[in-house]
Amino acid sequence: MVLALLVSGAVVVLVLLGLFVFGLRRRLIQRSGGTFDCSLRWDVPEQETDPSGKGWIYGVARYNGDRVEWFRVFSYAPRPRRLLERSAIEVLQRRTPQGEEELALLSDSLVLACRHGGTRLELAMSEDALTGFLAWLEAAPPGQRVNVA
């Protein structure tokens, strides 16, 4: 009986500790400011006619100079999962979520199809975050190419 209580207590403490670390990590990411909720779908096929909800990963993006650092929300990793260089981002299309995407994304999200280097990707964010992202892209220093459709 005592052993069962000890094991149950240890499990509860570990779960609470894990949740605390998730929250602490997010606070540390947001500490420097310039963050926004942003879902990401990496390496999207070129000719996708019916977008599904598959492949979307919920995350937080942070502006850092000429880069956007993208972090997975459900991860303990202290480093960003993806780095998007401003000079390498080419905006292809802006659209609303379609079909099953509406269930996979936050309710007010808009989808921005981009190309980064040779990789096609999609970012889903709120309209306010999208406005800020596009303004950040267009505010590139003189001499850098900016590809905003």
Side-chain angles (χ1 to χ4, degrees), residues 14-65:
L14 288 175
V15 167
L16 290 175
L17 182 64
L19 292 174
F20 174 77
V21 171
F22 271 133
L24 179 64
R25 178 180 170 267
R26 180 150 181 158
R27 284 279 185 209
L28 291 174
I29 291 169
Q30 292 177 328
R31 178 177 58 181
S32 64
T35 60
F36 57 97
D37 291 333
C38 178
S39 296
L40 172 76
R41 197 161 76 139
W42 191 260
D43 206 12
V44 179
E46 275 300 321
Q47 301 300 326
E48 187 176 44
T49 57
D50 184 29
S52 69
K54 294 181 180 178
W56 285 104
I57 304 169
Y58 184 59
V60 175
R62 174 175 69 188
Y63 297 109
N64 186 4

Side-chain angles (χ1 to χ4, degrees), residues 73-94:
V73 166
F74 300 109
S75 171
Y76 292 111
R79 295 183 183 221
R81 177 79 171 189
R82 301 278 182 206
L83 294 173
L84 304 175
E85 298 286 338
R86 179 179 4 213
S87 61
I89 298 173
E90 177 184 356
V91 176
L92 304 173
Q93 176 188 9
R94 175 181 171 173

